[in-house]
Amino acid sequence: MANLTVDVLDASGKKAGKAELPAEVFDVELNVPLIHQVVVAQRAASRQGTASTKTRGEVRGGGKKPYKQKGTGRARQGSTRAPQFAGGGTVHGPQPRSYDQRTPKKMKAAALRAALSDRARAGRVHVVSGFGVDGVPSTKTALSTLATLTERTHVLVVTERSDELTVKSLRNLEQVHLLSADQLNTYDVLVSDDVVFTEAALEAFLAGPATGRSVKAVATEAEAEAAAEKEATK
């Protein structure tokens, strides 16, 4: 597999460079059953699961036997809170529960790569150097930049978490869904027609998470000198 290359466009839609999309992320085999399983699990996890009904043992009242057992000609009853009475309990009603499904991180990552690859092969992954907003947010400017990239109605824009100008400029647009690079997920990629990365967001996404056991700390020059002096005095 060869790496894909896309043009990096500036705010006016002119070519400002090239960005490389690694084949191991943007050109993997499409695995539909895997994507389906991950999306179903993601949607299930978003369910609250707070629906609740009361059984006959939980409904208030009904402690006294409504009438005597025999001699009335009526069916025997022990409580007015039985399900057949108005105000009675519910039989087999919903109870609070969790809809979470276990989905390993490797499956989520593989499904995301497959979804991004599908969009990239269709030419629906774009990279911009910026949205032309400088100093103060401007929805009009950001929207004009977006119009040079795609005319489709549902666009996913991936930004850096610290890029507040872009977020404030685009967050009120109905056709735009905003995510930071570390929030990118399979479902949001699939429900969007196009995926637009800012150049910084693409670098952050490909670099991976900034926390975890696999991350190597990078010391500043002063910290490195201090550590070296400490080792020398031992």
Side-chain angles (χ1 to χ4, degrees):
M1 295 186 295
N3 292 346
L4 301 177
T5 302
V6 296
D7 292 336
V8 178
L9 304 180
D10 60 16
S12 61
K14 295 180 180 178
K15 182 177 176 181
K18 286 186 175 294
E20 196 171 80
L21 305 180
E24 59 270 17
V25 178
F26 290 93
D27 193 20
V28 301
E29 184 179 354
L30 184 64
N31 189 336
V32 175
L34 172 64
I35 292 176
H36 177 268
Q37 182 176 346
V38 169
V39 169
V40 168
Q42 182 178 343
R43 300 299 293 161
S46 67
R47 298 181 67 176
Q48 288 185 317
T50 55
S52 180
T53 55
K54 291 183 178 181
T55 65
R56 62 181 294 171
E58 296 169 328
V59 178
R60 183 174 180 177
K64 180 182 177 182
K65 190 175 175 68
Y67 46 83
K68 64 180 184 179
Q69 182 84 346
K70 296 178 180 292
T72 64
R74 303 173 65 183
R76 55 194 177 187
Q77 302 292 342
S79 171
T80 56
R81 294 300 177 260
Q84 67 269 25
F85 286 99
T90 302
V91 181
H92 305 307
Q95 295 295 320
R97 54 163 290 188
S98 171
Y99 289 92
D100 290 352
Q101 300 179 20
R102 180 182 177 274
T103 311
K105 291 181 180 179
K106 289 185 178 180
M107 287 179 59
K108 294 179 183 178
L112 177 57
R113 290 195 297 268
L116 287 172
S117 298
D118 179 67
R119 291 292 181 265
R121 283 192 288 264
R124 296 191 176 188
V125 173
H126 313 278
V127 182
V128 292
S129 58
F131 282 87
V133 289
D134 186 20
V136 293
S138 173
T139 299
K140 181 178 181 180
T141 303
L143 185 59
S144 65
T145 300
L146 203 60
T148 64
L149 301 172
T150 178
E151 296 179 352
R152 299 185 178 93
T153 53
H154 296 95
V155 181
L156 173 62
V157 177
V158 185
T159 67
E160 276 192 304
R161 189 174 288 275
S162 60
D163 191 358
E164 293 185 2
L165 282 177
T166 299
V167 172
K168 290 180 178 180
S169 298
L170 292 171
R171 65 186 178 184
N172 289 330
L173 293 175
E174 183 180 0
Q175 69 271 34
V176 175
H177 183 52
L178 279 167
L179 288 178
S180 60
D182 57 348
Q183 293 177 321
L184 195 58
N185 62 85
T186 305
Y187 175 75
D188 285 319
V189 171
L190 292 179
V191 297
S192 301
D193 297 321
D194 286 67
V195 182
V196 178
F197 287 90
T198 63
E199 199 169 10
L202 180 61
E203 292 177 3
F205 171 68
L206 295 177
T211 59
R213 294 181 179 179
S214 61
V215 175
K216 297 180 180 179
V218 179
T220 63
E221 186 177 351
E223 291 172 337
E225 289 177 358
E229 290 177 2
K230 186 176 181 180
E231 288 292 328
T233 56
K234 287 183 179 181

